Amino acid sequence: MASFSSNEWKAVCAKFTNAQQLSDVESRTDPENDPFRSKYKARELLTEIYCSLKNFEAGDGEEHDDGETSEPEPTEEPLDGEKPVDLDAFSRGWSSDSRAGLRAARLAAVEYYLGVNHVDTEELSAGQEHLMNCMKHLGKCRVSSENVSLFIHVRNQLGILWAGRDETEKSQGFLETAESIYQRYMKENGSPPTDMTEYFCSEENQLTHQERTKKFELAYTHTLYYLAQVYQYFGENERAANYCYSTLQRQLQLNQFNPMEWALNAATLSQYYITKGQYMEGRHCLAAATVISGLAGEVPSEAAAQESEAERDRREQLKQKRSEIARCWIKYCLNLLRDAKKLLEDNIGELDTDRQDELRRARRREEEEEGRKQALLFGSEDTFDSIASVEEKVSYLFPLDFTEARAIFLVGQNYVNQAKEHFQMDGFVTDHIEILQDHSALFRALAFFEEDVERRCKMHKRRVDMLEPICNDLNSQYYLLIRRQLMFELAETYNEMMDLKLTLANRQEDSQSLDNHTIKKFNHLCSASAKYFQMFLDSLCSPEGKIPEHLEEDVLRPALVARFRVARLHSKLISSSPPVQLDNLNKALENYKYVVQYCEAHPEAAAAAETELELSKEMVGLLPLKINRLKARMATNN
Amino acid sequence: SLHCASSDCDSIKVFIRVRPLTHGTGLTTDGDQNLCLTVTSPNTIRLLSKPEPRTFTYDHVADMDTSQDSVFNIVAKNIVESCMNGYNGTIFAYGQTGSGKTFTMLGPSELDNFTDEMRGVIPRSFEYLFFLINREVEKSAKSKNFLCKCSFIEIYNEQIYDLLDTASASLFLRENIKKGVFVEGAVEKFVSSAAEAYQVLSTGWRNRRVASTSMNRESSRSHAVFTMTLESKETKNEVVNIRTSQLNLVDLAGSERQKDTHTEGSRLKEASSINRSLMCLGQVIMALVDVSNGKNRHICYRDSKLTFLLRDSLGGNAKTYIIANVHPGSKCFGETLSTLHFAQRAKLIKNKAVINEDTQGNVR
């Protein structure tokens, strides 16, 4: 009988171990100009193993001479990864403890490794062929603890392969089949399955149950990870997010993760939930990220960093990644405040107290019902409590008044300071400014909840103080876009302050008799706002200072809004001198006209600034009358 | 419409170049006589895909017999001129290994002869730049002078190496409020002629990481960025006016190696190896978050080093040309298609909305 002698089998096992070693370990140190040297060597060994298996064991399954294989050759099945066929795999085919079954599984495993090897060395079609051969061999077998791992692995690989060729549906088919095979196996059997490497090793080197479980679960985690990507590709975002969540949760439970990387992924996932308005989930992800990132250990001291390059890199990495998580927290606080503001504001952007009462009542009702549950839960036994205690530090409910808003603001501000420590201006200009922009946005959202107008004004002043010097220092050759953002924000902030001053003045007395100091202050805010809007508009001009005939889509609305605002600001400036008044009104008219004329020449622009356009048209009609009246008055006075 | 009559307002332009068929070069495409594409006009190319052929449109499409001189005139001349006027300019070369990137950018290998008709875009750009510099200096009667320095770095596996100082460890990208993004500690060599600049370039070029696989004869595995910083100083009525600009010449890794940039289609991020965690999960989630419906979010995964370094070139106020090289052989169909797709996407690269949504408030 052409069966293996124990020596021959030993040689096959040794070859296999060698191939694994070459492929997984040595290949990492292959020279750059010959990057696949070890992989090619491994491929040769695998091919030899395949031949040995074919030659030596031939006859075991196919020729019925030892009476052991009573089972008939299973019929060939289509192999395109469709589900119905594969679920049959639990009831049909050779049982894996039959000789034929074992032989098929071994051949399948070698084909699998050959497939992966070819894919790794950028020979995709050959890789595909081997992987499909693996599927063919497996197709003859029934799913069992001896081969289920291979059933999953080969589908993961085919999933990757087809996705790489833009045939994502095919990929999805393989991966979803892998998923259902796993689930059915765990339901019906669940014992720790044999790993493919064990097909080629001696009895004494078999894996422990624990090791088997770990490898099997990791393969399935990969299936979920790939499915997350496939669903994302098809735009099924919610489903994809759930798969990301499951991947993270499994990593944590199976203790297969790098803390910093895991934490960053969880923090990123929090941003998904935040954009969906799911703050409870967002907070949970962030709290988990904070706790798990703590497992990565202390940041090496500066002294240690100077001693060794490894410590320097570690210090840089830890500091940076923890700051990134802090920045995700900032966004959490910011969006929570903003969404609350959106809920609470009336049609002129002020706090709607009826709405406030209504929301308070709704919240109380919910608290009484106590129907709220954690929507998702991360954590192992050790980390669970720590995660909960981080969560408690900030609410996930929309703040309904200043006190509640301030509590969230302060948490956000705290993270701002933390993030700034690493992302300093010198070295991280863009990041640093982004953090400041968030800080400013936090103040802006908080100001909405502040009832005292004077204090509200001070909050906006804080925004100006943090952004103005930077806006003026930034080199516009390299930071044009950021500068534009800053200019616009400063213009808007001054504008807001000007409005607040006006409100305040109106409250005190009738606006005709404003004192000089207030007028001066008011005019200063007005001009400052106009100045920054104008700077923004100038930044759109050509090097020769020409206004573009056509505004690009991304600056269209800002440019029209800026024009409109400049017009409005000029008409608001207070002056007792008629020539100055005339000048201001002319400037206002000129800018209103621009908005109207631009939209006439570019009809598609009208939609971008509907309200502004309507008001501008009105002003273009009214202002000339006012100007003429003023001119007439000036003429009679002379 | 009025807009883009001169098409000058586009910040990124794309040039496609089709190389001639290969013979005896040792490439797998040798002897492949079947074409998978035809150039149908100076800005369209038709790919013979099944079931229907597809036509792609670019700023310019050059067929097999386009001269090096005309490539330079279309792609680089204008960019070099704007650099003289204080603007940053960038030229990218993209394409499959063996599609003629090096030939387009440098010319035939081992070329030292500057007068060779076959010399590529880079030597021609150097010549033209120094021609312009000398002319300016003369015209200004020496009131204007120029300072040129070059650096040459390589980005390999998201690490930055200095090609002019191979002994140095990997370098960091930093930012400065005045000078923007820069590579901290990169060697800068002063050059005063085209020949000197070319000398610096070829020294660094030899230090690049290349590799042979059974599929490709030689594949560059790194992105290389050659940066020439031009500083002009003009003294007029005792006022000194200094202007700086940068010319970036970028040779991207062979497109078949671009697994980890955003150029891939639907390719899945793989688990890097057993026992390692799933490195790219965050990037998957990132894609979910990207549609941000006006919400403000933070993405922990930073831009790739390359896009960060050249952020200004990708949709800022710099002038940028992408040269995408393709091989016409039918064996290259897949790669050619993906290069053409990339080149189309490149046209769409623009910086995100200039002004945050929430700061363009409505009228009250």
Side-chain angles (χ1 to χ4, degrees):
Chain A
M1 195 189 87
S3 181
F4 281 115
S5 73
S6 70
N7 276 342
E8 281 162 335
W9 181 244
K10 260 189 201 155
V12 167
C13 294
K15 260 183 203 166
F16 180 80
T17 316
N18 198 354
Q20 291 279 92
Q21 175 76 13
L22 279 164
S23 182
D24 297 346
V25 183
E26 285 175 40
S27 67
R28 284 187 214 153
T29 51
D30 279 344
E32 263 147 22
N33 57 8
D34 193 4
F36 300 141
R37 191 170 66 188
S38 306
K39 296 262 182 197
Y40 293 148
K41 278 192 205 155
R43 183 193 295 182
E44 269 172 43
L45 292 173
L46 288 167
T47 312
E48 285 171 33
I49 295 173
Y50 191 79
C51 291
S52 311
L53 285 180
K54 271 269 182 203
N55 290 335
F56 281 105
E57 284 191 358
D60 279 5
E62 277 118 9
E63 294 162 31
H64 301 255
D65 59 353
D66 58 359
E68 216 183 311
T69 48
S70 51
E71 285 166 88
E73 173 97 6
T75 45
E76 289 271 316
E77 286 156 4
L79 285 169
D80 39 14
E82 288 167 64
K83 265 189 273 186
V85 178
D86 281 291
L87 286 185
D88 265 4
F90 279 85
S91 51
R92 291 211 327 228
W94 284 326
S95 108
S96 54
D97 47 10
S98 72
R99 279 204 138 176
L102 180 61
R103 175 171 186 268
R106 279 181 179 156
L107 283 170
V110 183
E111 289 282 14
Y112 168 79
Y113 285 114
L114 279 169
V116 173
N117 181 288
H118 281 83
V119 170
D120 284 348
T121 53
E122 297 167 11
E123 293 167 57
L124 294 188
S125 337
Q128 179 199 343
E129 207 172 300
H130 285 292
L131 291 173
M132 289 317 281
N133 286 340
C134 168
M135 290 281 282
K136 220 181 253 177
H137 287 299
L138 281 179
K140 297 174 189 163
C141 305
R142 211 179 296 160
V143 175
S144 69
S145 68
E146 282 82 4
N147 59 24
V148 65
S149 181
L150 189 52
F151 266 88
I152 307 254
H153 270 104
V154 69
R155 283 174 177 80
N156 281 352
Q157 286 298 330
L158 284 162
I160 294 168
L161 186 91
W162 283 108
R165 292 174 167 162
D166 281 325
E167 300 218 25
T168 318
E169 268 111 2
K170 247 183 191 165
S171 169
Q172 180 184 12
F174 283 112
L175 294 169
E176 284 180 348
T177 309
E179 184 186 26
S180 42
I181 290 177
Y182 171 88
Q183 279 165 353
R184 181 149 167 204
Y185 175 79
M186 291 310 277
K187 201 167 122 208
E188 292 179 3
N189 183 332
S191 61
T194 311
D195 189 65
M196 299 103 74
T197 54
E198 295 181 88
Y199 296 157
F200 306 100
C201 72
S202 51
E203 292 281 332
E204 59 269 24
N205 287 332
Q206 301 291 304
L207 302 174
T208 64
H209 279 194
Q210 224 176 352
E211 287 166 329
R212 283 182 169 182
T213 303
K214 198 169 171 179
K215 288 193 169 209
F216 183 55
E217 295 296 340
L218 187 62
Y220 180 60
T221 307
H222 287 176
T223 307
L224 299 182
Y225 168 65
Y226 300 137
L227 276 171
Q229 299 180 57
V230 165
Y231 293 136
Q232 176 232 308
Y233 175 81
F234 286 118
E236 298 181 45
N237 284 358
E238 195 179 331
R239 208 166 172 193
N242 285 337
Y243 276 80
C244 288
Y245 162 71
S246 306
T247 307
L248 286 172
Q249 169 62 357
R250 288 177 57 82
Q251 284 184 285
L252 207 56
Q253 274 172 345
L254 300 163
N255 201 15
Q256 289 163 328
F257 66 97
N258 163 313
M260 226 41 244
E261 210 174 81
W262 192 95
L264 230 48
N265 288 341
T268 309
L269 188 57
S270 78
Q271 304 297 290
Y272 167 77
Y273 289 120
I274 290 171
T275 55
K276 293 273 158 204
Q278 293 172 253
Y279 288 98
M280 197 197 319
E281 287 83 353
R283 183 181 72 165
H284 185 69
C285 289
L286 283 169
T290 297
V291 169
I292 302 299
S293 90
L295 302 180
E298 295 284 314
V299 175
S301 67
E302 209 160 331
Q306 272 165 7
E307 294 270 301
S308 87
E309 197 175 325
E311 288 296 283
R312 181 192 69 163
D313 284 353
R314 209 174 105 77
R315 181 180 154 84
E316 188 78 14
Q317 285 288 319
L318 283 180
K319 272 176 60 184
Q320 183 193 311
K321 288 180 175 164
R322 287 188 178 143
S323 305
E324 301 269 14
I325 294 170
R327 292 176 69 180
C328 289
W329 273 113
I330 299 172
K331 299 293 187 188
Y332 171 87
C333 297
L334 185 56
N335 284 292
L336 192 57
L337 283 171
R338 279 186 178 168
D339 279 0
K341 175 179 170 230
K342 256 181 236 153
L343 278 180
L344 287 165
E345 70 189 352
D346 59 18
N347 53 7
I348 56 158
E350 293 294 322
L351 187 84
D352 181 337
T353 47
D354 291 343
R355 189 91 187 100
Q356 192 178 27
D357 292 339
E358 192 187 311
L359 288 167
R360 277 194 183 125
R361 279 195 301 276
R363 191 199 281 177
R364 228 169 299 145
R365 264 200 312 278
E366 252 171 59
E367 273 163 13
E368 278 158 23
E369 283 165 21
E370 259 190 298
R372 286 191 169 275
K373 278 191 203 112
Q374 258 311 6
L376 53 87
L377 286 177
F378 278 130
S380 54
E381 278 170 35
D382 336 334
T383 54
F384 198 82
D385 289 344
S386 336
I387 293 176
S389 83
V390 174
E391 280 185 305
E392 276 165 24
K393 289 181 184 152
V394 56
S395 173
Y396 68 88
L397 298 171
F398 293 124
L400 299 180
D401 56 34
F402 181 73
T403 319
E404 289 176 1
R406 186 169 172 272
I408 290 163
F409 169 85
L410 287 176
V411 172
Q413 182 165 255
N414 198 22
Y415 283 115
V416 164
N417 293 331
Q418 219 170 298
K420 275 202 297 197
E421 261 174 55
H422 174 71
F423 291 114
Q424 293 179 2
M425 182 67 96
D426 186 25
F428 300 94
V429 178
T430 311
D431 290 287
H432 187 86
I433 294 175
E434 277 168 9
I435 296 166
L436 290 182
Q437 285 175 313
D438 280 348
H439 197 182
S440 164
L442 280 168
F443 267 115
R444 184 171 190 235
L446 180 66
F448 167 80
F449 293 89
E450 174 59 82
E451 283 164 45
D452 183 311
V453 175
E454 198 59 55
R455 282 211 302 257
R456 211 194 278 186
C457 220
K458 280 191 181 133
M459 289 180 187
H460 291 303
K461 183 69 174 58
R462 292 282 303 271
R463 299 171 61 202
V464 167
D465 290 345
M466 63 175 89
L467 301 179
E468 199 161 40
I470 292 162
C471 180
N472 296 327
D473 277 0
L474 267 182
N475 179 337
S476 54
Q477 194 177 359
Y478 299 107
Y479 295 104
L480 180 68
L481 296 177
I482 296 179
R483 275 198 79 215
R484 281 184 185 163
Q485 290 181 352
L486 293 176
M487 291 168 195
F488 214 91
E489 181 158 0
L490 283 164
E492 294 259 332
T493 313
Y494 275 121
N495 196 67
E496 176 94 37
M497 289 168 75
M498 182 269 290
D499 279 341
L500 289 172
K501 275 277 175 272
L502 206 57
T503 313
L504 211 58
N506 283 342
R507 242 183 239 174
Q508 283 163 353
E509 53 213 305
D510 81 295
S511 57
Q512 298 307 308
S513 56
L514 288 175
D515 64 87
N516 260 343
H517 175 74
T518 310
I519 290 176
K520 224 176 132 186
K521 183 95 194 164
F522 176 83
N523 278 347
H524 163 71
L525 294 171
C526 239
S527 329
S529 179
K531 177 183 97 181
Y532 282 108
F533 277 126
Q534 194 57 53
M535 266 168 82
F536 171 77
L537 290 167
D538 291 345
S539 81
L540 302 175
C541 292
S542 75
E544 296 79 35
K546 252 181 62 196
I547 304 164
E549 269 173 63
H550 176 92
L551 295 163
E552 294 279 323
E553 200 191 327
D554 48 1
V555 295
L556 176 62
R557 175 165 167 79
L560 293 178
V561 169
R563 283 284 187 169
F564 174 79
R565 289 291 170 84
V566 171
R568 187 169 166 270
L569 287 160
H570 276 106
S571 66
K572 286 212 164 197
L573 280 167
I574 303 170
S575 167
S576 51
S577 143
V580 177
Q581 280 175 25
L582 185 64
D583 190 40
N584 286 336
L585 289 179
N586 276 327
K587 276 190 184 138
L589 181 60
E590 186 189 308
N591 281 288
Y592 282 129
K593 268 188 183 161
Y594 176 91
V595 176
V596 175
Q597 283 164 358
Y598 186 88
C599 292
E600 269 166 15
H602 307 84
E604 75 284 355
E610 226 173 312
T611 328
E612 286 83 359
L613 176 60
E614 199 184 307
L615 289 171
S616 298
K617 278 183 184 158
E618 216 172 290
M619 294 311 286
V620 169
L622 292 175
L623 269 184
L625 300 175
K626 205 173 172 185
I627 289 171
N628 287 338
R629 266 205 308 273
L630 180 63
K631 276 184 182 161
R633 215 170 52 225
M634 282 164 71
T636 42
N637 286 353
N638 282 342
Chain B
S1 80
L2 279 173
H3 112 260
C4 292
S6 64
S7 79
D8 252 0
C9 49
D10 263 353
S11 53
I12 297 181
K13 294 193 189 186
V14 179
F15 183 101
I16 306 284
R17 187 182 201 185
V18 182
R19 71 161 291 157
L21 288 168
T22 6
H23 294 288
T25 52
L27 289 170
T28 47
T29 48
D30 268 3
D32 183 2
Q33 289 303 326
N34 301 314
L35 300 187
C36 67
L37 53 81
T38 44
V39 176
T40 41
S41 85
N43 57 6
T44 52
I45 188 166
R46 185 190 291 139
L47 191 67
L48 307 172
S49 52
K50 285 184 181 118
E52 288 287 304
R54 289 191 53 187
T55 299
F56 294 83
T57 307
Y58 302 95
D59 295 286
H60 202 99
V61 178
D63 62 17
M64 297 182 200
D65 31 61
T66 301
S67 73
Q68 295 282 69
D69 186 48
S70 85
V71 176
F72 167 78
N73 278 320
I74 294 164
V75 171
K77 209 167 172 204
N78 199 310
I79 290 183
V80 174
E81 282 163 7
S82 359
C83 275
M84 287 296 294
N85 295 323
Y87 290 92
N88 297 340
T90 301
I91 300 169
F92 284 99
Y94 181 83
Q96 179 188 8
T97 303
S99 60
K101 266 193 310 168
T102 310
F103 178 78
T104 300
M105 296 303 277
L106 287 180
S109 50
E110 306 307 322
L111 177 84
D112 289 320
N113 183 0
F114 269 129
T115 54
D116 196 311
E117 259 314 296
M118 301 295 255
R119 69 197 188 280
V121 167
I122 294 177
R124 285 168 197 266
S125 298
F126 290 160
E127 287 156 32
Y128 189 51
L129 182 70
F130 280 96
F131 163 76
L132 293 176
I133 288 176
N134 293 335
R135 203 179 65 179
E136 278 286 299
V137 172
E138 265 172 48
K139 229 169 59 184
S140 74
K142 308 262 160 140
S143 76
K144 208 171 186 180
N145 58 57
F146 289 84
L147 197 63
C148 283
K149 39 189 187 178
C150 309
S151 68
F152 198 9
I153 57 122
E154 170 183 56
I155 302 174
Y156 178 74
N157 278 341
E158 281 299 292
Q159 302 268 9
I160 301 176
Y161 301 95
D162 195 337
L163 287 172
L164 302 182
D165 176 14
T166 47
S168 74
S170 69
L171 304 173
F172 286 110
L173 272 180
R174 309 291 272 188
E175 275 181 286
N176 177 292
I177 197 161
K178 289 290 173 214
K179 54 182 200 170
V181 184
F182 64 100
V183 179
E184 193 178 46
V187 167
E188 291 186 306
K189 293 236 154 97
F190 289 93
V191 293
S192 56
S193 69
E196 276 178 40
Y198 194 72
Q199 189 57 46
V200 174
L201 178 90
S202 29
T203 311
W205 195 271
R206 281 194 289 271
N207 292 325
R208 294 194 57 191
R209 282 149 223 262
V210 291
S212 310
T213 71
S214 67
M215 288 307 275
N216 295 307
R217 182 186 55 168
E218 198 178 65
S219 153
S220 45
R221 312 213 132 204
S222 63
H223 307 300
V225 183
F226 183 88
T227 304
M228 169 106 80
T229 308
L230 185 65
E231 197 179 290
S232 72
K233 200 164 143 189
E234 190 171 17
T235 320
K236 244 188 200 163
N237 312 326
E238 294 182 14
V239 180
V240 182
N241 191 2
I242 295 179
R243 245 185 354 197
T244 63
S245 58
Q246 277 181 357
L247 177 62
N248 296 304
L249 302 164
V250 185
D251 184 43
L252 296 169
S255 53
E256 67 280 4
R257 303 284 325 154
Q258 304 261 326
K259 274 187 190 173
D260 23 69
T261 60
H262 296 295
T263 59
E264 65 209 283
S266 57
R267 205 173 271 169
L268 301 189
K269 313 271 184 201
E270 293 176 44
S272 44
S273 80
I274 221 100
N275 293 334
R276 286 289 310 276
S277 38
L278 313 173
M279 295 278 281
C280 298
L281 183 66
Q283 266 139 27
V284 179
I285 307 169
M286 193 166 92
L288 300 178
V289 188
D290 250 336
V291 188
S292 68
N293 52 49
K295 290 273 170 66
N296 202 316
R297 79 271 188 268
H298 177 65
I299 294 301
C300 303
Y301 296 82
R302 334 199 77 210
D303 289 341
S304 77
K305 294 268 172 20
L306 182 75
T307 49
F308 193 71
L309 180 64
L310 298 170
R311 211 175 27 174
D312 189 52
S313 310
L314 299 166
N317 48 344
K319 300 220 185 278
T320 302
Y321 232 120
I322 293 177
I323 304 178
N325 288 89
V326 293
H327 194 291
S330 57
K331 279 185 188 168
C332 294
F333 177 82
E335 271 300 335
T336 297
L337 178 64
S338 94
T339 302
L340 292 176
H341 274 307
F342 169 82
Q344 278 203 325
R345 279 199 297 272
K347 286 292 292 175
L348 302 174
I349 300 175
K350 277 215 162 163
N351 273 317
K352 288 156 222 136
V354 176
I355 307 300
N356 301 326
E357 286 267 346
D358 66 291
T359 49
Q360 331 167 15
N362 287 305
V363 198
R364 292 205 185 128

